[in-house]
Structures are given as structure tokens and as C-alpha cells.
Amino acid sequence: MKPSATRAGICLFSITFCAIALGDAWRSDPSVDAKVQALVDRMTIEQKLGQLTQQWGGLVQDVNPEARQRGQDELDALVREGKVGSYLGAHGAEYINRLQKIATEEFELGIPLMVGNDVIHGYRTIFPINLAQACSFDLEGIERAERVAATEARAAGTHWTFAPMVDIARDPRWGRVAEGAGEDPWLGARIAAARVRGFQGKNLSDPDAVVACAKHYVAYGAAEGGRDYNTVDISIPTLRNVYLPPFAAAVGAGVGTLMSAFNEINGVPATACPLTLKTVLRDEWAFEGFVVSDWGSIQEMVAHGYARDDADAARLAIQAGVDMDMSSFTYRTHLADAVKNGLVDESVIDRSVKRVLRMKYALGLFDNPFSDPDTEKSVTLCHEHRDAARALARQSIVLLKNDDKLLPLSSDVAAVAVIGPLAESKEDPLGTWATIGKADDVISVLDGVRERAGNSIKVLFAPGCDVRGDSTDGFAQAVQTAKQADVVVMVLGEDKEMSGEGHSRATLGLPGVQLDLLKKIHATGKPIVVVLMHGRPLAIPWTAENVPAVLAAWHLGVEMGHAVTDILFGDANPSGRLAMTFPRGVGQVPIYYAHKNTGRPPRQKERYTSKYIDMPWTPQFPFGYGLTYTQFKYDNLRLSSNTIGPAGLLKATADVSNTGDVAGVEVVQMYVRDLVASQTRPVKQLRGFKRVTIEPGKTVTVEFELFAKDLGFYNSDQKYIVEPGAFKLWIGPNAQEGLETDFSIVKNSAADTD
Ligand code: BGC
């Protein structure tokens, strides 16, 4: 363990935002530092800059043979000359071993490469998209998913993942909401830590561990208009209270690297921002890992109008603390001159080189730079990994509506019509960023239903239309198909290219003519279950109003068909809860539960209040919401005390009963509100959640610990303060419902136990 003073800084923050701080595994000990120093002493400036350069190009594997050979020869030469420290886009043990051989045997210093890739929601065994995973509220399940991803990735030669993406996202138009944990900093912080633990495992040098990279540092999710790469303009308290906590939690959990974002913060690109890269990251959090730029984000500071040219951009980034240049090659091209001309001190370069080399030592690459192709074969997409993917996929599904208990499907059903353009798709369940995921690995929803139905239930199918097209030619056949069935399962939503990077939408409804198709099928009078396949919260007011059963099933990965079928047929009881609010219409966004009250809180019927005249101001489905095949009742909310001191601990307890007929999982949620503060506070803030399984007819007492220090906030002087005053507290099933009580933080309370 590294020492005290600075470490305590992280701990304070990580206790505030993340219960668990571990993972010093990647930090070096003095003997490593000595080896690193000895190596740096032997390096030329060009070799140093090589270590700070991330080369893309593993993808040359995919182009035509002649170009591939030419491209490969050029890349090999760069590695041989020590001009590359890290590689992006290379896959497979054999291919990467070849590169490592060149790096370690033909480059005179023999420094191994560190291969990074976007292992975002699984490597080959593709798990649900990250937003869906967040809906499971299952930290252990998420950690397990990253263990699986790390095991497959490391076996295939990847040492570093550009994940977790921990950007808070409150605007579903932004395509990258698919990659994060949703709108809430508290939940986001815990998921960030779980994912770091999962990726990094016990020790980075283990053959099943990869170093994680918390991205995109920071506030990338606040892009204006939900348009990817757009300007961000937020207050410093919002930066501190909303966007930084998941990064703090990742650092607290021992994340080895961070990626600087594309956006600006307060008029300064995040890739050269001293406040976030130095003051917060290095001084306050004592982060000792390294920072990589996002793809081209150093060079893009020229377009931002912040750097004069590429050379200026390189100088600004390295001086701000961005250690490695991803793909714009500005360091390799310009920093030697900058050092020669006295614009950049060589010690600044050395500092970054040491951080990178230390990570290579921590990964064990100097001892063994190679991966084992046999292990790669045996772990890739193995049964155990598929089982973990199915379990998490099942838990990620959110039951939004279930009138008259249409679900689970009755055992009387003799014929099911599966209708919709996504029902048969094996490509789309992979979702965004399934880099090496393969459609052939996927169980489609139709496959899943057919497999489960066996010979006892007839399964009919009609696509009806395309995902985005405007042809209605398939409607008639779909209607005919529906008429022959007892129940219709409609698989509607977004294809995998409609979310993710560069895929923002200005509308949030069902694309193309899918809603028209749904209305046609609805007119047949057949009971309909809509299974949504999507990468973001959708605005589906007609569906929510008119269709009896709706599942938010996201892009669920290779086991999508099985997981959806488990829920449809009642082999599993839905347990997902929304990690992001569903709006009624795009005009409501950004919409999130932890909004401020304003001076004129919305009252639908009162004119001069904060609302719309043409749509309710409330969401379609709130944060934390989700139904199950049973019902839960909340009673008897009680606190250990009505007052606590600023360092105290309060216990809040409620009884939760399963009043239905089957066992179910309730995600019990605790929210608080600081009623009066020196800066206005949100109307509700999540401060605890627990997944509890409750048998029918049974009651479980659920207890939360609430530390007063978790009730503070950063003010505009950037100070974290816990203020005495009155609070409200709720325990309930989502951000809109729950039992309510009051308590106060008082100075010098007897209840102050710390
Ligand atoms: C994305 C990052 C990603 C990187 C490397 C960038 O365009 O913003 O999230 O890790 O590419 O693929």
C-alpha cells in the first residue's frame, strides 16, 4: 500500500462516493521504480516519445492482402524502431504475440507493447449494453461480467480496456448513453468501482486481468442538445457533484488509467484542463496511473480554437498531464522539438514515460509479454461465460407495464406470433461497441422463443417492416400472422447503429414505420407484448398507453433471445429497474429525477409554474422504476435517530413484504433531500439501494446506513461541505414513490458516532 496523506485524500472522497477502495495492485514498489528509472536513463527523447504514442492499425488485419502486407510492414517497422508504446485495434493472441516479439526482440530496448482495446460490454461473449447492465442494480453481476470480459480479452492479447465509461448522462438523444450507467452519480459511482474491480481482478499481472480506463474525463455526457462531441457548459458545482463522482470512485477502486474527453470544460478542452487533470486528479485524488487522450483529442484542440497548431496542442496536453497520445501522433511528431526549443521540460516527458513503464511492469509484461493461444481458445465464449451473460441479461430487462398480468405468458397459449423487424436479428442484440462480437454467436429473440416453445407451442413469425425504412409492404402479412395467434410478441426498437459514438438522435420514438405497424396489429384485438430492443430510453407514449405489456429489453448481447424468453415464459421474474428516466417526448429532455425544485415547482394546472402546456412535465417512467410478476408493500419506515451530527451515522429501516404469489426481487431504494442549503440541492438523491429476494407472503426488514458525510456537496468555492439542517428521507421502489420521514443534521449531536 502507498502511504497516508495523499492516500487519505482519495479515501475521504471514495468513502463519500464509493464504499469500497481497493486495488493498489497496479501501483509500483520502489524496486520497480528503480528499474523504470534505469530504463528511462537509457532512452533517447525519440524512444521516450514512442512510449507515449498509441498506434492504431491492428485493423490492417481486415483489409485486402496486399494493402495488409504493406500496412503491416510499416507498422512492424514503427514497433522495431521503438516509435510505438501502445497499440490499439489489434486482436488475437497469435497476432499480438508477433508484435510483442518484434517489440521485445528487435527494438533495441526490448520494451513490450501495451495493447488497448474497447472491451466495453464483453470481449467475444457480448453482455448487455452497459446502460442495461446498470438497470440490474446488481454490482456483483456487473463485476462478474467484467471478470469474464477481462479473462477473454487478456487471453487474446489485450492488456488494457478503454472502459469503464462512467459519464453521467441525462439526455437520451446522446447516443453514448448506451455505454454508461445512466443518470445518477451515486449509482454510477458504485458501478464504476465494480467494473474496475472486475476488469483489474486481484493483480494486473494475472493472466485474467486487464487494466481499466475510466472515461471520458470529464463531463462528456453533458453535450449540449445531446449531440455527440458538442460543447459542454456546466457550473463547477455540477461538475463536482454530478460528473466527477464516478471518476472519483474509479480512482478509489484503483483504476490504472483515465481517458481525457473530447469536450471542453469552462472553455478549456478537457484534454488540456489543469483543473481536472491536475488539481482534481493528481493533487486531490493522488492518482498515480496515467492518462491517455481520446482518439485525436489532442490534435482536435486546434479545431476547438485552443491550440494554434498540432505542436501547440501537443505541448498543452503533455503539460496538463495527458501522458499518452491516442492516434493523433502529435507527441511523436512535435515534442522532441518542443524539448529542444525549451518549450517543454524533458522532466515532464520523463514523468509520463515513467507512468507508462510502471504500468507495463504492473501488467507483468516485462516478465511475459505473450498470451497463450490455447487459453484463448478454451476461454473464449465458453459455457460458463455464456451463462453469466444470460444471467445478467435477464436481470437487465425492465418490465415497464403488465396489465391484467398478461405476462408471464399463460400455459394455455397454443400459438405465439413473433412480429417486428428486430425479432430475427442476430446483429442488433450485440449493440454498440461489440468490437469483435459476432452475429453468429447471438441467440435472436425468435430463436429463443422457438427453442422454449419446442413442439408444444406454435411459433409464427413476420417482420412487418424494416427498423428504419418507410415501406409498409409487410404490414398485411404481419396482420395475418397476428390473427392466427393467441398472443403477439412484437420486437421493436433501434438497430445497433442507432446508439453509441456519433449516433445521437433528435427524435426518441420508434424509428421508421414501426409505430404504424404496432397500431395495425393492435387493431386486430390480439393481446400484445412489446419487447423493446434499444440503446437509450425511448419516448413511447402511445405504446405505454395502449399496449398491455412492455419490456425494456435493450441490446442484451449474445444471450438476448434466451434472456427475453426466460422473462416472457416466467422462467425468471423480472428484476431490472430503470437507471435512466424515460421521457414522454423528446421536448422534455434533459429529464432526470434529481432535478432542482426551482422557485416555481411544476403544478400541471397552474399557469405560472415550471411545466409545459402541451405535455405533462413528469416522465413516462421514472428512475428506479420497474415491475415484477409479484407485488411489494412498504411499511414501518423508521430511523435510529431523528438527528445526527456532521460526522454521524443514521440507520434507516423499512419492512418490505411480498404480497403476491411468486418469489421476486425488489430493488429497495433510499433517497434523501436537503431542504435548505447554502446552494440549492436536488429534490431527491439516491443514497442507497439493496436487491432483496422475498418469498411470497414474507416480509423482509431492509436497513440502510446513511453517513452524514454522504449528505454534503461541493459549493461554488469547490469545497465539500456538510451543512446542518433539515432533510427528508424516503425508502421506496423508485424515485417517485416511497415512505417518507424527516431528520436533521445538527452540530455536536450526541448521535455523532465518528
Ligand atoms: C472513443 C473512445 C474510444 C476510442 C478508441 C474514441 O473515438 O470516444 O471511447 O475508447 O475511440 O476506440
Side-chain angles (χ1 to χ4, degrees):
M1 276 284 268
K2 274 268 154 105
S4 53
T6 49
R7 192 69 197 138
I10 296 183
C11 283
L12 179 71
F13 207 79
S14 60
I15 289 167
T16 303
F17 291 105
C18 158
I20 299 153
L22 46 74
D24 271 355
W26 58 268
R27 285 164 201 266
S28 59
D29 57 35
S31 72
V32 173
D33 288 344
K35 287 186 208 165
V36 166
Q37 185 62 53
L39 198 47
V40 171
D41 290 343
R42 290 168 56 208
M43 294 168 86
T44 64
I45 183 74
E46 285 76 18
Q47 288 167 337
K48 290 176 185 174
L49 295 173
Q51 290 304 306
L52 306 187
T53 297
Q54 184 171 70
Q55 177 78 42
W56 53 270
L59 296 178
V60 291
Q61 292 165 103
D62 299 333
V63 299
N64 74 54
E66 197 206 331
R68 177 169 62 202
Q69 197 47 54
R70 198 164 7 96
Q72 195 61 62
D73 290 347
E74 280 164 24
L75 290 173
D76 290 354
L78 289 169
V79 175
R80 197 171 292 119
E81 290 159 22
K83 292 192 169 152
V84 177
S86 172
Y87 225 92
L88 153 67
H91 292 279
E94 265 174 35
Y95 179 72
I96 292 167
N97 284 348
R98 208 189 128 272
L99 291 171
Q100 289 291 46
K101 224 167 149 14
I102 300 174
T104 54
E105 291 175 15
E106 299 177 34
F107 167 38
E108 61 173 308
L109 293 176
I111 302 174
L113 294 166
M114 186 172 157
V115 175
N117 278 305
D118 291 283
V119 184
I120 306 295
H121 52 108
Y123 186 69
R124 176 73 182 269
T125 303
I126 300 297
F127 280 72
I129 54 164
N130 308 93
L131 180 57
Q133 292 187 25
C135 293
S136 74
F137 279 71
D138 179 0
L139 300 178
E140 280 171 22
I142 292 171
E143 183 173 336
R144 200 177 318 121
E146 305 309 19
R147 282 283 61 237
V148 168
T151 303
E152 292 190 0
R154 185 72 187 250
T158 291
H159 315 116
W160 179 19
T161 174
F162 305 126
M165 189 275 221
V166 303
D167 298 314
I168 295 302
R170 295 176 160 185
D171 188 333
R173 290 172 296 184
W174 190 47
R176 303 199 79 170
V177 302
E179 298 172 49
E183 72 185 51
D184 187 62
W186 176 272
L187 175 64
R190 270 140 195 83
I191 291 180
R195 298 187 64 199
V196 169
R197 290 194 299 270
F199 281 130
Q200 298 194 168
K202 289 200 184 68
N203 195 322
L204 283 185
S205 61
D206 288 345
D208 62 358
V210 294
V211 62
C213 179
K215 74 185 189 185
H216 306 82
Y217 192 64
V218 52
Y220 182 37
E224 285 180 356
R227 194 149 53 79
D228 207 2
Y229 317 120
N230 202 8
T231 304
V232 165
D233 193 358
I234 53 172
S235 69
I236 294 295
T238 299
L239 175 73
R240 292 267 189 182
N241 292 315
V242 177
Y243 290 93
L244 282 171
F247 287 95
V251 170
V255 74
T257 70
L258 268 77
M259 183 186 292
S260 69
F262 289 126
N263 55 280
E264 64 174 61
I265 300 162
N266 250 351
V268 178
T271 291
C273 178
L275 170 64
T276 51
L277 290 169
K278 185 172 181 307
T279 311
V280 174
L281 186 61
R282 302 288 178 185
D283 300 347
E284 294 178 22
W285 298 349
F287 177 66
E288 291 182 67
F290 75 82
V291 177
V292 62
S293 76
D294 201 345
W295 183 294
S297 69
I298 297 178
Q299 198 167 38
E300 287 171 19
M301 291 200 288
V302 178
H304 270 287
Y306 189 73
R308 277 187 305 278
D309 51 27
D310 289 2
D312 199 30
R315 175 185 67 78
L316 287 162
I318 192 91
Q319 284 175 335
V322 173
D323 302 295
M324 185 180 282
D325 177 353
M326 179 191 281
S327 304
S328 67
F329 311 117
T330 58
Y331 284 7
R332 192 163 75 191
T333 315
H334 299 288
L335 285 182
D337 280 348
V339 169
K340 209 182 300 156
N341 299 334
L343 293 172
V344 173
D345 200 286
E346 192 159 352
S347 65
V348 173
I349 312 280
D350 288 358
R351 182 184 63 183
S352 292
V353 174
K354 285 183 202 167
R355 288 174 181 154
V356 171
L357 292 177
R358 226 163 46 201
M359 195 62 70
K360 292 185 176 184
Y361 271 105
L363 283 160
L365 297 178
F366 282 93
D367 293 331
N368 179 13
F370 304 111
S371 307
D372 173 19
D374 290 336
T375 310
E376 179 185 12
K377 267 190 213 98
S378 67
V379 299
T380 302
L381 210 67
C382 64
H383 283 305
E384 199 192 312
H385 292 181
R386 287 199 81 117
D387 287 349
R390 180 173 182 164
L392 192 56
R394 218 191 265 140
Q395 290 180 193
S396 304
I397 296 172
V398 184
L399 177 62
L400 297 176
K401 197 178 171 196
N402 194 20
D403 283 357
D404 303 325
K405 297 196 176 172
L406 178 57
L407 287 176
L409 296 177
S410 145
S411 50
D412 296 340
V413 167
V416 180
V418 180
I419 292 178
L422 289 157
E424 207 183 13
S425 173
K426 284 163 146 323
E427 200 50 66
D428 297 303
L430 292 170
T432 185
W433 278 128
T435 319
I436 69 147
K438 304 227 176 326
D440 280 349
D441 302 338
V442 172
I443 308 293
S444 71
V445 175
L446 185 60
D447 290 339
V449 173
R450 282 190 173 137
E451 186 184 311
R452 175 64 169 72
N455 295 326
S456 53
I457 303 173
K458 193 164 168 194
V459 180
L460 308 158
F461 166 63
C465 61
D466 292 336
V467 176
R468 300 196 223 181
D470 57 9
S471 167
T472 56
D473 292 352
F475 280 21
Q477 196 210 340
V479 167
Q480 274 317 104
T481 307
K483 283 183 177 163
Q484 296 166 48
D486 302 314
V487 64
V488 182
V489 173
M490 295 200 65
V491 190
L492 305 174
E494 302 179 308
D495 63 55
K496 77 182 184 63
E497 300 303 331
M498 294 186 77
S499 53
E501 186 174 354
H503 290 162
S504 294
R505 290 182 67 192
T507 55
L508 292 174
L510 292 172
V513 292
Q514 294 185 64
L515 182 56
D516 300 329
L517 174 68
L518 175 58
K519 287 179 178 172
K520 283 270 186 272
I521 304 295
H522 185 255
T524 64
K526 293 288 178 183
I528 299 176
V529 179
V530 165
V531 175
L532 295 170
M533 193 187 294
H534 48 139
R536 57 162 62 72
L538 297 173
I540 45 158
W542 191 91
T543 311
E545 185 73 15
N546 294 286
V547 172
V550 185
L551 290 172
W554 316 100
H555 295 127
L556 283 186
V558 290
E559 286 289 321
M560 175 143 198
H562 285 147
V564 167
T565 310
D566 289 342
I567 298 291
L568 290 177
F569 288 85
D571 300 331
N573 192 346
S575 61
R577 304 292 187 269
L578 295 179
M580 201 172 167
T581 304
F582 268 50
R584 294 172 194 271
V586 73
Q588 289 184 319
V589 301
I591 182 167
Y592 48 95
Y593 83 92
H595 59 82
K596 299 287 187 74
N597 201 38
T598 81
R600 296 191 177 193
R603 278 187 292 268
Q604 204 57 48
K605 291 204 178 97
E606 282 181 42
R607 175 168 179 178
Y608 294 108
T609 67
S610 176
K611 56 168 178 42
Y612 303 103
I613 56 170
D614 53 358
M615 189 182 281
W617 66 275
T618 51
Q620 189 82 56
F621 300 109
F623 176 87
Y625 172 86
L627 303 174
T628 70
Y629 294 155
T630 186
Q631 294 81 45
F632 298 103
K633 188 164 159 286
Y634 285 69
D635 291 298
N636 202 13
L637 172 59
R638 52 212 188 268
L639 301 179
S640 55
S641 163
N642 288 328
T643 57
I644 44 168
L649 163 66
L650 192 68
K651 291 189 178 162
T653 311
D655 298 334
V656 185
S657 309
N658 181 342
T659 58
D661 307 327
V662 289
V665 171
E666 175 67 328
V667 179
V668 182
Q669 300 159 43
M670 177 176 71
Y671 295 87
V672 295
R673 175 172 177 189
D674 183 347
L675 290 172
V676 181
S678 57
Q679 295 206 218
T680 60
R681 307 298 303 134
V683 294
K684 273 191 179 176
Q685 289 182 280
L686 185 72
R687 279 297 174 269
F689 61 87
K690 281 192 179 160
R691 276 175 63 88
V692 282
T693 303
I694 311 180
E695 295 300 320
K698 295 281 185 233
T699 297
V700 169
T701 297
V702 180
E703 183 181 275
F704 291 99
E705 293 194 329
L706 183 61
F707 290 90
K709 59 177 173 286
D710 289 340
L711 297 171
F713 58 90
Y714 280 91
N715 64 15
S716 43
D717 296 332
Q718 306 199 54
K719 292 220 161 54
Y720 186 80
I721 51 171
V722 179
E723 291 184 335
F727 286 76
K728 281 209 175 299
L729 181 148
W730 295 261
I731 294 185
N734 60 59
Q736 268 180 3
E737 298 170 89
L739 304 174
E740 180 183 321
T741 188
D742 302 281
F743 72 94
S744 302
I745 296 186
V746 292
K747 276 196 185 135
N748 307 320
S749 160
D752 210 340
T753 53
D754 271 4

Short mmCIF file of all heavy atoms in Angstrom, two decimals, residues 118 162 176 215-216 259 262 294-295 326 433 501, ligand 1:
data_model
loop_
_atom_site.label_atom_id
_atom_site.label_comp_id
_atom_site.label_asym_id
_atom_site.label_seq_id
_atom_site.Cartn_x
_atom_site.Cartn_y
_atom_site.Cartn_z
N ASP A 118 -11.27 -1.48 -26.99
CA ASP A 118 -12.56 -1.12 -26.41
C ASP A 118 -13.31 -2.38 -26.01
O ASP A 118 -14.10 -2.91 -26.80
CB ASP A 118 -13.37 -0.29 -27.40
CG ASP A 118 -12.76 1.08 -27.60
OD1 ASP A 118 -12.94 1.93 -26.73
OD2 ASP A 118 -12.07 1.28 -28.63
N PHE A 162 -10.48 0.20 -22.73
CA PHE A 162 -10.92 1.59 -22.61
C PHE A 162 -12.32 1.59 -22.00
O PHE A 162 -13.31 1.96 -22.61
CB PHE A 162 -10.90 2.27 -23.98
CG PHE A 162 -9.56 2.19 -24.65
CD1 PHE A 162 -9.44 1.68 -25.93
CD2 PHE A 162 -8.41 2.58 -23.99
CE1 PHE A 162 -8.20 1.56 -26.54
CE2 PHE A 162 -7.17 2.47 -24.58
CZ PHE A 162 -7.06 1.96 -25.86
N ARG A 176 -24.31 7.93 -26.75
CA ARG A 176 -23.40 7.22 -25.87
C ARG A 176 -24.00 6.91 -24.51
O ARG A 176 -23.32 6.33 -23.66
CB ARG A 176 -22.07 7.96 -25.76
CG ARG A 176 -21.43 8.17 -27.13
CD ARG A 176 -19.96 8.46 -27.08
NE ARG A 176 -19.19 7.25 -26.89
CZ ARG A 176 -17.85 7.20 -27.01
NH1 ARG A 176 -17.17 8.29 -27.33
NH2 ARG A 176 -17.20 6.08 -26.82
N LYS A 215 -13.38 6.65 -18.38
CA LYS A 215 -13.51 7.63 -19.44
C LYS A 215 -14.94 8.15 -19.46
O LYS A 215 -15.82 7.52 -18.88
CB LYS A 215 -13.13 7.01 -20.78
CG LYS A 215 -14.16 6.03 -21.35
CD LYS A 215 -13.66 5.36 -22.62
CE LYS A 215 -14.78 4.58 -23.28
NZ LYS A 215 -14.36 3.81 -24.44
N HIS A 216 -15.19 9.28 -20.07
CA HIS A 216 -14.25 10.19 -20.73
C HIS A 216 -14.12 11.37 -19.78
O HIS A 216 -15.13 12.05 -19.55
CB HIS A 216 -14.78 10.62 -22.09
CG HIS A 216 -15.13 9.45 -22.97
ND1 HIS A 216 -16.32 8.76 -22.89
CD2 HIS A 216 -14.44 8.83 -23.97
CE1 HIS A 216 -16.36 7.80 -23.79
NE2 HIS A 216 -15.23 7.81 -24.45
N MET A 259 -9.06 8.37 -19.45
CA MET A 259 -9.01 8.91 -20.80
C MET A 259 -9.59 10.33 -20.78
O MET A 259 -10.70 10.53 -20.27
CB MET A 259 -9.83 8.04 -21.75
CG MET A 259 -9.77 8.48 -23.21
SD MET A 259 -10.90 7.50 -24.26
CE MET A 259 -10.13 5.89 -24.21
N PHE A 262 -13.31 14.54 -25.21
CA PHE A 262 -13.29 15.42 -26.39
C PHE A 262 -13.77 16.84 -26.08
O PHE A 262 -13.41 17.79 -26.75
CB PHE A 262 -14.26 14.88 -27.45
CG PHE A 262 -13.83 13.60 -28.13
CD1 PHE A 262 -14.65 12.49 -28.16
CD2 PHE A 262 -12.60 13.54 -28.80
CE1 PHE A 262 -14.26 11.32 -28.83
CE2 PHE A 262 -12.21 12.38 -29.47
CZ PHE A 262 -13.04 11.28 -29.48
N ASP A 294 -8.33 10.95 -25.67
CA ASP A 294 -9.25 10.21 -26.53
C ASP A 294 -8.71 10.29 -27.96
O ASP A 294 -7.76 11.03 -28.25
CB ASP A 294 -10.69 10.75 -26.43
CG ASP A 294 -11.71 9.70 -26.88
OD1 ASP A 294 -11.31 8.70 -27.52
OD2 ASP A 294 -12.91 9.87 -26.62
N TRP A 295 -9.32 9.52 -28.83
CA TRP A 295 -8.84 9.39 -30.21
C TRP A 295 -8.76 10.77 -30.89
O TRP A 295 -9.79 11.39 -31.18
CB TRP A 295 -9.81 8.49 -30.99
CG TRP A 295 -9.42 8.21 -32.39
CD1 TRP A 295 -9.35 9.11 -33.42
CD2 TRP A 295 -9.04 6.95 -32.94
NE1 TRP A 295 -8.96 8.49 -34.57
CE2 TRP A 295 -8.77 7.16 -34.31
CE3 TRP A 295 -8.92 5.67 -32.42
CZ2 TRP A 295 -8.38 6.13 -35.16
CZ3 TRP A 295 -8.53 4.64 -33.27
CH2 TRP A 295 -8.26 4.87 -34.61
N MET A 326 -3.43 9.20 -28.05
CA MET A 326 -4.12 8.17 -28.81
C MET A 326 -4.33 8.68 -30.23
O MET A 326 -5.12 9.59 -30.48
CB MET A 326 -5.47 7.82 -28.18
CG MET A 326 -6.24 6.76 -28.95
SD MET A 326 -7.96 6.56 -28.41
CE MET A 326 -7.77 5.58 -26.95
N TRP A 433 -20.48 -0.93 -29.90
CA TRP A 433 -19.17 -1.32 -29.34
C TRP A 433 -19.03 -2.81 -29.03
O TRP A 433 -18.50 -3.16 -27.98
CB TRP A 433 -18.87 -0.58 -28.04
CG TRP A 433 -18.33 0.80 -28.17
CD1 TRP A 433 -18.83 1.90 -27.56
CD2 TRP A 433 -17.15 1.25 -28.86
NE1 TRP A 433 -18.07 3.01 -27.86
CE2 TRP A 433 -17.04 2.63 -28.65
CE3 TRP A 433 -16.19 0.61 -29.66
CZ2 TRP A 433 -16.02 3.39 -29.20
CZ3 TRP A 433 -15.17 1.37 -30.21
CH2 TRP A 433 -15.10 2.74 -29.97
N GLU A 501 -21.23 5.85 -30.22
CA GLU A 501 -20.49 7.05 -30.60
C GLU A 501 -20.96 7.62 -31.94
O GLU A 501 -21.14 6.87 -32.92
CB GLU A 501 -18.99 6.75 -30.68
CG GLU A 501 -18.21 8.03 -30.93
CD GLU A 501 -16.71 7.84 -30.87
OE1 GLU A 501 -16.23 6.74 -30.52
OE2 GLU A 501 -16.00 8.83 -31.17
C1 BGC B 1 -13.98 7.00 -28.32
C2 BGC B 1 -13.43 6.27 -27.12
C3 BGC B 1 -12.71 5.01 -27.56
C4 BGC B 1 -11.65 5.38 -28.57
C5 BGC B 1 -10.83 4.21 -29.05
C6 BGC B 1 -12.93 7.19 -29.40
O1 BGC B 1 -13.49 7.70 -30.56
O2 BGC B 1 -14.51 8.24 -27.89
O3 BGC B 1 -14.45 5.96 -26.22
O4 BGC B 1 -12.15 4.35 -26.46
O5 BGC B 1 -12.27 5.99 -29.68
O6 BGC B 1 -11.53 3.38 -29.87
#
